[in-house]
Amino acid sequence: MSGSSGGGGGGGGGGGDSDLEALLKEFPALARLDDGRVKCNLTGHVMHAKSDVIQPYVRGKKFAAALLKEKALDGLKEFEPHIVRSKYVPDKLFCRITGRYVQAKESAVVQHSSGKRFERGVESLTNGGGGKMLKERRPEEVEAERKQLEAEQKKAAEAHSDNKKKAAAAAASSEGKKAKKGRITEQAKGTKAAVDEEEEEEEE
């Protein structure tokens, strides 16, 4: 009895596996994970590898919306290799000419690819002008470099400002010394003139 029961369970599992395999073939966006679960590569949703769990999901609004976005992105492949799907920013495209992110909409891509910066970059590539297509980097790395550059620029500006203040202070000090020296010289001249007058009076 136990053996028969085990065989029945296995048969039931086989039927479930058959339904599951059919779903995986029908929806390529679904993939098995190492732990046996199934992940949707469009939304990142992870679920148990059971057809009665997956079927409601693939019929849901979230998955349908993700499929529409996927089709829209596939329709923009004509702009490759210059404009490609972003590896790190969902629903965005990465321009390998300008290094900017573009909305995954045909109108946005057409507008971006019509810009002068993009056109100059493509021309540089095609005419052997030494241009190279950019590689997308992690946004956090780019942001960290941007902050570091800003900090360095701020430090340089502060140093420049300090140098200007020091120069102004030195110039003011120099002017002050000149003025003081001038006063001393005038006083000395006045004293000498007074002495000369006294000597002249004594001679008379």
Side-chain angles (χ1 to χ4, degrees), residues 13-198:
D17 286 343
S18 176
D19 292 341
L20 176 61
E21 292 302 324
L23 285 169
L24 294 177
K25 287 181 181 179
E26 184 179 355
F27 302 102
L30 303 178
R32 284 184 182 272
L33 298 176
D34 293 338
D35 61 7
R37 293 182 298 170
V38 172
K39 179 181 179 180
C40 175
N41 293 324
L42 300 181
T43 63
H45 182 68
V46 177
M47 62 203 107
H48 291 295
K50 295 180 180 180
S51 59
D52 58 349
V53 172
I54 296 174
Q55 282 180 352
Y57 173 76
V58 296
R59 293 171 184 164
K61 293 182 179 179
K62 186 176 181 180
F63 184 72
L67 277 179
L68 286 175
K69 287 183 179 179
E70 182 71 8
K71 289 180 180 179
L73 287 170
D74 286 341
L76 297 173
K77 285 185 176 180
E78 62 179 291
F79 295 95
E80 294 180 356
H82 301 136
I83 300 177
V84 298
R85 186 180 302 192
S86 171
K87 298 177 182 177
Y88 308 110
V89 183
D91 303 328
K92 291 281 188 178
L93 302 176
F94 176 73
C95 179
R96 299 184 67 192
I97 300 296
T98 64
R100 293 182 178 179
Y101 288 102
V102 185
Q103 284 187 335
K105 295 180 180 179
E106 186 175 0
S107 58
V109 177
V110 170
Q111 181 179 1
H112 182 79
S113 60
S114 301
K116 292 182 179 179
R117 184 179 176 186
F118 181 87
E119 291 178 346
R120 285 197 299 265
V122 173
E123 185 178 353
S124 178
L125 284 172
T126 55
N127 294 341
K132 293 182 180 180
M133 285 200 289
L134 304 173
K135 290 184 178 180
E136 185 182 8
R137 299 166 58 203
R138 293 183 179 277
E140 54 267 26
E141 292 179 1
V142 177
E143 181 65 14
E145 285 189 3
R146 185 187 66 80
K147 288 182 178 180
Q148 183 179 356
L149 180 61
E150 286 182 352
E152 291 175 355
Q153 290 175 340
K154 183 179 180 181
K155 187 176 181 180
E158 289 175 350
H160 180 67
S161 177
D162 289 342
N163 290 336
K164 285 182 68 177
K165 288 179 181 178
K166 288 179 181 179
S173 176
S174 177
E175 289 297 324
K177 288 179 180 178
K178 286 181 181 179
K180 184 177 181 181
K181 185 177 180 180
R183 289 195 299 270
I184 293 173
T185 301
E186 290 298 325
Q187 289 176 357
K189 286 181 180 179
T191 302
K192 185 175 184 303
V195 170
D196 290 343
E197 287 179 1
E198 289 179 0

